[in-house]
Amino acid sequence: MRNSRIEVLPVAGAVGAEIAGVHLAEPPDDGTIAEIRAALNAHGVIFFRDQELDVEAHKALARRFGEIFIHPNFKGSGADPEIVVIRREPGDSSVVGEEWHADTTMCAAPPMGAILYGVEVPPYGGDTLFASQGAAYDALSDGMKRMLEGLRAVHSDRKVAGPQAALNAKRATKVREDAEWRETISLHPVIRTHPETGRKMLFVNHSYTVGFEGMTEAESRRLLDFLLAHGHRPEFTCRFRWSTGAIAFWDNRAVKHIALNDTGPHRRIMRRVQIAGEAPF
Ligand code: SIN
């Protein structure tokens, strides 16, 4: 679709669109930002190619959509707390985001989105997949929708940070594993309403959701497993093949994503800025 300023090219039926006709390093005008926001609302994740974003331009772009979110578990891992460098070195057996997830949902107000920039892209592999949680909700039966309405899920960061997660030995990107680290837990609705579009979204994910309010984790398991698998059925997904200078900008309220660790002997370096969000409702 050609808008007045940008071109929006959907890449799959449920989620994802490539945006052409914009150079993000030159500060986009307000009209262009409004069109980018509309494309994000319509497609859940948008992709740009051949951008040249240094750190300052990257952060400036993020600020056009909200305040920068400081990740509590990567804090101190680099010189600039507003930036997370996601580094995969040859030999790493684990990478950041290798399970289907939305970002940082143990927080009471998880980020609304993230802008990920391809700094060093491997010759093959390292794709990122996205799944529409609006499409996942729509495909549930009326009975299941009724059952989930009003149910809240427990989100914890215990699987992705802290000494018990023991991830730092397996990968180049380090999280907090010090003895002072404490688990963060929040309750969020299983079905959330998107604050800009009003669309209902399934809101549980493998990395953070550990059960349902008022139930044991064992009691929660079967329903949670069903919802987690349902949320990334192939028809809800798209897959992004990275190139150097490419950008994926996802709406963390509307999609789940997963990073593949299949780059063999090759390095992969990405730079991420997250944008602050609101408490889900
Ligand atoms: C993430 O989960 O934010 C990382 C995604 C990626 O590296 O592709």
Side-chain angles (χ1 to χ4, degrees), residues 86 96-97 101 103 116 128 250 257 259 268 272:
I86 296 175
V96 171
H101 68 288
D103 293 325
L116 187 68
T128 310
W250 62 87
H257 60 285
R268 176 181 185 270
R272 189 178 75 183

PDB file of all heavy atoms in Angstrom, residues 86 96-97 101 103 116 128 250 257 259 268 272, ligand 1:
ATOM      1  N   ILE A  86      22.872  -7.465  21.529  1.00  0.00           N
ATOM      2  CA  ILE A  86      22.583  -8.899  21.549  1.00  0.00           C
ATOM      3  C   ILE A  86      23.631  -9.564  20.663  1.00  0.00           C
ATOM      4  O   ILE A  86      23.618  -9.411  19.446  1.00  0.00           O
ATOM      5  CB  ILE A  86      21.141  -9.162  21.063  1.00  0.00           C
ATOM      6  CG1 ILE A  86      20.159  -8.514  22.048  1.00  0.00           C
ATOM      7  CG2 ILE A  86      20.884 -10.661  20.931  1.00  0.00           C
ATOM      8  CD1 ILE A  86      18.709  -8.598  21.633  1.00  0.00           C
ATOM      9  N   VAL A  96      19.936 -14.979  23.167  1.00  0.00           N
ATOM     10  CA  VAL A  96      18.830 -14.224  23.767  1.00  0.00           C
ATOM     11  C   VAL A  96      17.570 -14.463  22.933  1.00  0.00           C
ATOM     12  O   VAL A  96      17.611 -14.385  21.707  1.00  0.00           O
ATOM     13  CB  VAL A  96      19.162 -12.715  23.794  1.00  0.00           C
ATOM     14  CG1 VAL A  96      17.938 -11.894  24.205  1.00  0.00           C
ATOM     15  CG2 VAL A  96      20.335 -12.451  24.724  1.00  0.00           C
ATOM     16  N   GLY A  97      16.486 -14.783  23.591  1.00  0.00           N
ATOM     17  CA  GLY A  97      15.194 -14.872  22.901  1.00  0.00           C
ATOM     18  C   GLY A  97      14.973 -16.147  22.136  1.00  0.00           C
ATOM     19  O   GLY A  97      14.235 -16.163  21.156  1.00  0.00           O
ATOM     20  N   HIS A 101       8.426 -15.623  22.861  1.00  0.00           N
ATOM     21  CA  HIS A 101       8.196 -14.735  24.002  1.00  0.00           C
ATOM     22  C   HIS A 101       7.779 -13.347  23.554  1.00  0.00           C
ATOM     23  O   HIS A 101       8.020 -12.942  22.415  1.00  0.00           O
ATOM     24  CB  HIS A 101       9.474 -14.618  24.848  1.00  0.00           C
ATOM     25  CG  HIS A 101      10.584 -13.888  24.147  1.00  0.00           C
ATOM     26  ND1 HIS A 101      11.293 -14.435  23.099  1.00  0.00           N
ATOM     27  CD2 HIS A 101      11.077 -12.638  24.322  1.00  0.00           C
ATOM     28  CE1 HIS A 101      12.186 -13.571  22.669  1.00  0.00           C
ATOM     29  NE2 HIS A 101      12.075 -12.464  23.373  1.00  0.00           N
ATOM     30  N   ASP A 103       8.686  -9.466  25.219  1.00  0.00           N
ATOM     31  CA  ASP A 103       9.822  -9.025  26.020  1.00  0.00           C
ATOM     32  C   ASP A 103       9.416  -8.547  27.406  1.00  0.00           C
ATOM     33  O   ASP A 103       8.462  -7.775  27.560  1.00  0.00           O
ATOM     34  CB  ASP A 103      10.536  -7.854  25.324  1.00  0.00           C
ATOM     35  CG  ASP A 103      11.214  -8.273  24.027  1.00  0.00           C
ATOM     36  OD1 ASP A 103      11.727  -9.405  23.960  1.00  0.00           O
ATOM     37  OD2 ASP A 103      11.226  -7.462  23.093  1.00  0.00           O
ATOM     38  N   LEU A 116      15.076  -3.312  16.783  1.00  0.00           N
ATOM     39  CA  LEU A 116      16.280  -4.154  16.719  1.00  0.00           C
ATOM     40  C   LEU A 116      16.969  -3.885  15.380  1.00  0.00           C
ATOM     41  O   LEU A 116      16.337  -3.948  14.311  1.00  0.00           O
ATOM     42  CB  LEU A 116      15.879  -5.623  16.825  1.00  0.00           C
ATOM     43  CG  LEU A 116      17.000  -6.645  16.953  1.00  0.00           C
ATOM     44  CD1 LEU A 116      17.726  -6.503  18.301  1.00  0.00           C
ATOM     45  CD2 LEU A 116      16.450  -8.079  16.835  1.00  0.00           C
ATOM     46  N   THR A 128      14.615 -14.095  12.703  1.00  0.00           N
ATOM     47  CA  THR A 128      13.682 -13.878  13.809  1.00  0.00           C
ATOM     48  C   THR A 128      12.269 -14.125  13.287  1.00  0.00           C
ATOM     49  O   THR A 128      11.925 -13.664  12.192  1.00  0.00           O
ATOM     50  CB  THR A 128      13.804 -12.445  14.363  1.00  0.00           C
ATOM     51  OG1 THR A 128      15.189 -12.160  14.626  1.00  0.00           O
ATOM     52  CG2 THR A 128      13.029 -12.296  15.664  1.00  0.00           C
ATOM     53  N   TRP A 250       9.013  -4.177  16.523  1.00  0.00           N
ATOM     54  CA  TRP A 250       7.814  -4.943  16.867  1.00  0.00           C
ATOM     55  C   TRP A 250       7.023  -4.287  17.982  1.00  0.00           C
ATOM     56  O   TRP A 250       7.570  -3.622  18.842  1.00  0.00           O
ATOM     57  CB  TRP A 250       8.120  -6.394  17.199  1.00  0.00           C
ATOM     58  CG  TRP A 250       9.004  -6.673  18.373  1.00  0.00           C
ATOM     59  CD1 TRP A 250       8.637  -6.814  19.672  1.00  0.00           C
ATOM     60  CD2 TRP A 250      10.423  -6.896  18.331  1.00  0.00           C
ATOM     61  NE1 TRP A 250       9.737  -7.118  20.447  1.00  0.00           N
ATOM     62  CE2 TRP A 250      10.842  -7.172  19.648  1.00  0.00           C
ATOM     63  CE3 TRP A 250      11.378  -6.896  17.312  1.00  0.00           C
ATOM     64  CZ2 TRP A 250      12.172  -7.430  19.973  1.00  0.00           C
ATOM     65  CZ3 TRP A 250      12.702  -7.155  17.632  1.00  0.00           C
ATOM     66  CH2 TRP A 250      13.080  -7.421  18.943  1.00  0.00           C
ATOM     67  N   HIS A 257       7.801 -13.300  19.668  1.00  0.00           N
ATOM     68  CA  HIS A 257       8.873 -13.521  18.698  1.00  0.00           C
ATOM     69  C   HIS A 257       9.863 -14.543  19.240  1.00  0.00           C
ATOM     70  O   HIS A 257       9.862 -14.863  20.432  1.00  0.00           O
ATOM     71  CB  HIS A 257       9.567 -12.209  18.327  1.00  0.00           C
ATOM     72  CG  HIS A 257      10.198 -11.490  19.484  1.00  0.00           C
ATOM     73  ND1 HIS A 257       9.470 -10.788  20.417  1.00  0.00           N
ATOM     74  CD2 HIS A 257      11.496 -11.377  19.862  1.00  0.00           C
ATOM     75  CE1 HIS A 257      10.283 -10.261  21.315  1.00  0.00           C
ATOM     76  NE2 HIS A 257      11.526 -10.610  21.009  1.00  0.00           N
ATOM     77  N   ALA A 259      14.135 -15.917  18.403  1.00  0.00           N
ATOM     78  CA  ALA A 259      15.382 -15.797  17.646  1.00  0.00           C
ATOM     79  C   ALA A 259      15.963 -17.198  17.446  1.00  0.00           C
ATOM     80  O   ALA A 259      15.986 -17.999  18.383  1.00  0.00           O
ATOM     81  CB  ALA A 259      16.370 -14.932  18.417  1.00  0.00           C
ATOM     82  N   ARG A 268      26.789 -13.085  15.212  1.00  0.00           N
ATOM     83  CA  ARG A 268      25.592 -12.269  14.918  1.00  0.00           C
ATOM     84  C   ARG A 268      25.516 -11.185  15.984  1.00  0.00           C
ATOM     85  O   ARG A 268      25.491 -11.492  17.179  1.00  0.00           O
ATOM     86  CB  ARG A 268      24.341 -13.141  14.956  1.00  0.00           C
ATOM     87  CG  ARG A 268      23.004 -12.418  14.753  1.00  0.00           C
ATOM     88  CD  ARG A 268      21.908 -13.470  14.843  1.00  0.00           C
ATOM     89  NE  ARG A 268      20.575 -12.983  14.561  1.00  0.00           N
ATOM     90  CZ  ARG A 268      19.725 -12.496  15.448  1.00  0.00           C
ATOM     91  NH1 ARG A 268      20.101 -12.368  16.718  1.00  0.00           N
ATOM     92  NH2 ARG A 268      18.509 -12.138  15.089  1.00  0.00           N
ATOM     93  N   ARG A 272      19.637  -3.341  20.287  1.00  0.00           N
ATOM     94  CA  ARG A 272      18.206  -3.211  20.588  1.00  0.00           C
ATOM     95  C   ARG A 272      17.939  -2.029  21.512  1.00  0.00           C
ATOM     96  O   ARG A 272      18.657  -1.823  22.487  1.00  0.00           O
ATOM     97  CB  ARG A 272      17.708  -4.493  21.266  1.00  0.00           C
ATOM     98  CG  ARG A 272      16.205  -4.554  21.417  1.00  0.00           C
ATOM     99  CD  ARG A 272      15.751  -5.851  22.051  1.00  0.00           C
ATOM    100  NE  ARG A 272      16.032  -5.848  23.492  1.00  0.00           N
ATOM    101  CZ  ARG A 272      15.788  -6.883  24.293  1.00  0.00           C
ATOM    102  NH1 ARG A 272      15.283  -8.005  23.809  1.00  0.00           N
ATOM    103  NH2 ARG A 272      16.057  -6.817  25.578  1.00  0.00           N
TER     104      ARG A 272
HETATM  105  C1  SIN B   1      14.968 -10.593  21.294  1.00  0.00           C
HETATM  106  O1  SIN B   1      14.295 -11.504  21.754  1.00  0.00           O
HETATM  107  O2  SIN B   1      14.737  -9.419  21.561  1.00  0.00           O
HETATM  108  C2  SIN B   1      16.094 -10.924  20.347  1.00  0.00           C
HETATM  109  C3  SIN B   1      15.617 -11.130  18.974  1.00  0.00           C
HETATM  110  C4  SIN B   1      16.735 -11.444  18.024  1.00  0.00           C
HETATM  111  O3  SIN B   1      17.913 -11.377  18.372  1.00  0.00           O
HETATM  112  O4  SIN B   1      16.422 -11.750  16.865  1.00  0.00           O
END
